Amino acid sequence: MLFRVYSLSRAGRSTKERVARLVYTDEGRGEAVVFLHAFPLDGRMWAAQARELSPSRRVIVPDFAGFGGSTNVAPRTSLDEHADDVAALLDALEIERATIAGLSMGGYVALAFARRHAKRIAGLVLADTKATPDTPEGRAARDQNIALVRNEGVAPLVERLLSKLLSPSSPAEVVAFVRGTGISQTPEAVVAALAAMRDRPDSTPLLASLDVPAAVIVGEDDAITPPADARAMTAALPRAELVVLPRAGHLANLEAPQAFNAALGRVFAPAR
Ligand code: MLT
C-alpha cells in the first residue's frame, strides 16, 4: 500500500533544507525508479505504475515543490531547481543511481536532471514530453496562462487544458481525476511551473550523451507533445526504444495504464 512520508534528511547536509518538507511515496525494494509528474498534477498520477512496479523495484514518487503535498516548499521557477530537488531526495534516501521516469513536465525535469546529474541516471523514461524548448508562440501562450491564473485562479486554466491533456475518449473517472487534481494545486505553484516550462532550454544537444537504457513512450493522440517529438528524441538517444500507445492522449499513463506499464516492462530488463 502506498503511503506518504516526510523525507528524512541527514543533519549537516547542504541539501537538508531543500528536501526537508518535500513529500513523496517510497514503496518496494530493489533498483530505484523515480517517477516525475506532469503539470498541473502531482505524484498521485503515478499510482498505477507504482502498484505495478513496486513488487520488484523501489518506486519513489515525489510531489514537486509547491505541488500536491509539497506546498510547504516554495514553488520553483526553474526546472533545474526541481531537478536538484530530485537529486537531493536521492541523497536523503542514500540512493546513488536510479531510473528517472518523467511524463511531460516530469520529462522536462528528467532532462534537466540528466543535464545536471548525469552520473546518477541508471535508465530513462521520457513519456509524452519533448527535448525542444517552447516556440515563441508557446512562450506567449504560457504568459497568457500565467495572467489567467493570476486573475482568475487555477480552475479556468485546468478547464482550458483538459481537452489537450486527454483524448476525447478518455474515461469519465480519468477526466475527474485530472480536473480534481489540477484544481487542487495552488496558483503560486502553477504560475511558477508555467514560467519554468516557458524558460526551459533546448535539451536536444544533450540526448546523444545519455548512454543509458531509455524508453520513449507517447500516446498516439498526444496533442501537446505528439509522436513526432517522441520519434525525434528516440533517434537522438543512443539506446532508446519508442513505444506509441494507441487510443491514448497526452496523459498516456492515465488513459492507457496497462499498455503504459507493459511498455515499461518491455524496455527495462526484469529487476534482479
Ligand atoms: C504537462 O503535461 O506537464 C504540460 O502540459 C507540459 C507543457 O505544457 O509543456
Side-chain angles (χ1 to χ4, degrees):
M1 159 169 177
L2 283 175
F3 54 92
R4 291 190 174 263
V5 294
Y6 286 89
S7 60
L8 304 170
S9 41
R10 288 173 289 172
R13 297 199 56 131
S14 59
T15 56
K16 183 178 176 192
E17 191 52 34
R18 185 183 289 279
V19 229
R21 290 158 294 162
L22 206 64
V23 164
Y24 59 94
T25 60
D26 181 359
E27 196 191 18
R29 300 176 68 176
E31 293 175 18
V33 187
V34 182
F35 282 99
L36 303 178
H37 64 80
F39 170 89
L41 303 178
D42 58 43
R44 287 175 285 180
M45 66 170 269
W46 291 115
Q49 284 66 48
R51 235 182 351 260
E52 174 77 11
L53 289 183
S54 57
S56 59
R57 290 175 186 271
R58 183 172 181 183
V59 179
I60 296 150
V61 186
D63 290 342
F64 288 136
F67 285 88
S70 296
T71 46
N72 290 338
V73 191
R76 310 298 190 205
T77 49
S78 87
L79 299 172
D80 285 355
E81 289 179 282
H82 285 301
D84 290 352
D85 286 342
V86 174
L89 177 58
L90 291 180
D91 286 345
L93 296 173
E94 302 189 357
I95 295 170
E96 188 52 41
R97 294 175 83 232
T99 293
I100 305 294
L103 189 142
S104 198
M105 181 176 79
Y108 306 156
V109 175
L111 289 168
F113 185 93
R115 191 164 35 248
R116 295 167 75 80
H117 308 282
K119 292 201 170 101
R120 306 194 71 166
I121 296 193
L124 257 184
V125 178
L126 296 171
D128 299 283
T129 193
K130 59 184 168 192
T132 50
D134 276 5
T135 60
E137 298 74 30
R139 290 170 59 85
R142 300 280 190 208
D143 288 336
Q144 284 168 8
N145 286 340
I146 287 171
L148 177 67
V149 174
R150 284 202 174 122
N151 293 331
E152 298 178 40
V154 175
L157 175 69
V158 172
E159 293 308 321
R160 180 186 279 188
L161 291 180
L162 270 179
S163 64
K164 293 186 182 149
L165 293 171
L166 298 169
S167 64
S169 57
S170 202
E173 63 269 21
V174 172
V175 179
F177 171 79
V178 173
R179 177 180 278 124
T181 308
I183 64 176
S184 74
Q185 310 303 338
T186 68
E188 293 76 20
V190 168
V191 164
L194 285 165
M197 291 192 286
R198 177 195 63 200
D199 297 338
R200 73 186 188 281
D202 188 1
S203 294
T204 309
L206 171 75
L207 297 176
S209 69
L210 302 178
D211 195 9
V212 292
V216 179
I217 305 174
V218 65
E220 72 172 346
D221 302 323
D222 186 337
I224 298 179
T225 49
D229 291 317
R231 281 192 201 96
M233 284 194 297
T234 310
L237 286 160
R239 293 160 66 186
E241 180 175 341
L242 174 67
V243 183
V244 181
L245 302 179
R247 294 175 300 283
H250 182 63
L251 297 176
N253 74 308
L254 293 175
E255 293 195 298
Q258 286 175 346
F260 193 97
N261 291 348
L264 292 176
R266 257 191 27 218
V267 171
F268 293 106
R272 286 180 294 279

